[in-house]
């Protein structure tokens, strides 16, 4: 699975949009971009994923650049409950005949702090 | 739909003992993965089970083992506990295979004294 690079930490004012960047310059054509977050000592929470098109759900939006080498997770109106570590992960999708790709490889993530 | 559940939530053991952790996946999910999270090493993949067979394995010693039952529930076992095994153990379930999403449980906090 391709490696990702994220800033170690970010701050965002409450009520503003939080934009979390992720670089995945070695991503291959069949790899998806996933975002999870982890609030202190809880299990990681799935946020969103995408392949090449931008995606939006009730939690966030995912913007993937045209060359797919980077992406941005957008939390449109950040609240204090969005304070967490955010992980960007790339992971192969279907179409492969060999197993071994089911795991998620977590990096160190971005510690997002929402400021009141 | 109920999420992934893990029991127990907290556990204290002493060195040399063994421990068994349990995970119940989301209904209809056939894949269960286990991860270990420590402050020093972060989140690391242990192994994954699908239809009662280990399908994928991380780089952990043989003291760490697991199994999956016909109802997709899974257990992981750690024998001869060491102080370094103190960690948050996370279970994640997935319907079948990528790009199906993995959903995580709340974790079991294991403390080895």
């Amino acid at each position: 699975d391709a490696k990702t690079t994220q800033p170690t930490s970010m701050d965002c004012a409450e009520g503003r949009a939080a934009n979390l960047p992720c670089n995945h310059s070695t991503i291959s054509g069949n790899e998806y971009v996933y975002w999870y977050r982890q609030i202190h000592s809880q299990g990681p929470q799935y946020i969103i994923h995408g392949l090449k098109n931008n995606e939006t759900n009730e939690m966030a939006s995912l913007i993937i650049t045209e060359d797919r080498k980077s992406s941005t997770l957008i939390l449109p109106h950040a609240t204090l409950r969005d304070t967490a570590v955010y992980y960007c992960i790339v992971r192969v999708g279907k179409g492969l005949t060999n197993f071994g790709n089911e795991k998620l490889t977590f990096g160190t993530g971005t510690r997002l702090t929402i400021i009141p | 739909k109920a999420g992934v559940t893990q029991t127990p939530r907290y556990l204290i053991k002493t060195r040399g003992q063994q421990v068994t952790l349990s995970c119940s996946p989301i209904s209809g999910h056939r894949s269960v993965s286990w991860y270990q999270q420590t402050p020093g090493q972060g989140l690391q993949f242990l192994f994954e089970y699908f239809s009662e067979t280990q399908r994928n394995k991380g780089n952990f010693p043989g003291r760490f083992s697991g199994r999956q039952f016909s109802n997709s529930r899974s257990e992981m076992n750690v024998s001869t506990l060491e102080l370094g095994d103190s960690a948050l153990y996370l279970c994640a379930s997935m319907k079948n295979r990528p790009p199906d999403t993995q959903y995580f449980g709340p974790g079991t906090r294991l403390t080895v004294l």
Side-chain angles (χ1 to χ4, degrees):
Chain A
D1 290 342
K3 288 185 69 174
T4 63
T5 305
Q6 299 177 253
T8 304
S9 64
M10 291 180 63
D11 292 339
C12 178
E14 189 178 15
R16 304 297 292 267
N19 296 279
L20 291 90
C22 179
N23 283 316
H24 31 80
S25 57
T26 59
I27 194 170
S28 55
N30 61 355
E31 287 183 313
Y32 287 70
V33 180
Y34 287 80
W35 283 84
Y36 285 79
R37 71 181 182 185
Q38 187 174 26
I39 296 168
H40 183 62
S41 291
Q42 297 180 22
Q45 179 188 22
Y46 165 77
I47 301 173
I48 200 167
H49 76 280
L51 183 62
K52 47 186 164 184
N53 297 322
N54 298 337
E55 302 287 345
T56 295
N57 62 19
E58 64 280 2
M59 286 183 70
S61 295
L62 174 60
I63 309 298
I64 302 175
T65 57
E66 197 169 333
D67 63 7
R68 303 208 323 122
K69 293 183 186 298
S70 65
S71 60
T72 301
L73 177 75
I74 301 172
L75 308 177
H77 303 288
T79 71
L80 297 179
R81 287 180 293 181
D82 292 322
T83 291
V85 177
Y86 287 75
Y87 296 99
C88 168
I89 300 163
V90 293
R91 174 176 174 242
V92 293
K94 59 187 170 186
L96 299 176
T97 56
N98 58 313
F99 290 114
N101 301 303
E102 298 77 11
K103 67 182 179 182
L104 294 169
T105 302
F106 286 82
T108 52
T110 295
R111 184 171 298 277
L112 175 67
T113 302
I114 306 301
I115 312 292
Chain B
K1 192 188 271 192
V4 179
T5 58
Q6 292 186 245
T7 57
R9 294 292 313 279
Y10 302 91
L11 205 48
I12 299 175
K13 292 285 188 179
T14 56
R15 275 184 302 174
Q17 286 187 309
Q18 74 163 13
V19 67
T20 300
L21 312 181
S22 181
C23 172
S24 291
I26 292 170
S27 177
H29 286 194
R30 295 163 67 194
S31 162
V32 174
S33 295
W34 289 90
Y35 294 80
Q36 181 198 63
Q37 185 172 29
T38 60
Q41 300 296 320
L43 261 156
Q44 293 189 292
F45 173 77
L46 279 155
F47 31 66
E48 187 242 1
Y49 286 85
F50 179 83
S51 291
E52 302 177 66
T53 301
Q54 188 179 87
R55 185 163 68 171
N56 197 1
K57 188 177 186 303
N59 190 26
F60 277 81
R63 298 186 298 107
F64 292 82
S65 62
R67 60 178 176 168
Q68 187 180 34
F69 303 94
S70 58
N71 61 359
S72 294
R73 191 177 70 83
S74 176
E75 289 180 347
M76 69 161 280
N77 184 76
V78 188
S79 62
T80 320
L81 284 166
E82 301 176 0
L83 295 179
D85 296 333
S86 294
L88 180 66
Y89 289 89
L90 293 156
C91 161
S93 79
M94 172 174 70
K95 204 166 189 180
N96 286 298
R97 61 183 299 181
D100 293 341
T101 299
Q102 284 194 6
Y103 295 93
F104 284 81
T108 294
R109 170 74 61 187
L110 172 65
T111 301
V112 182
L113 302 176

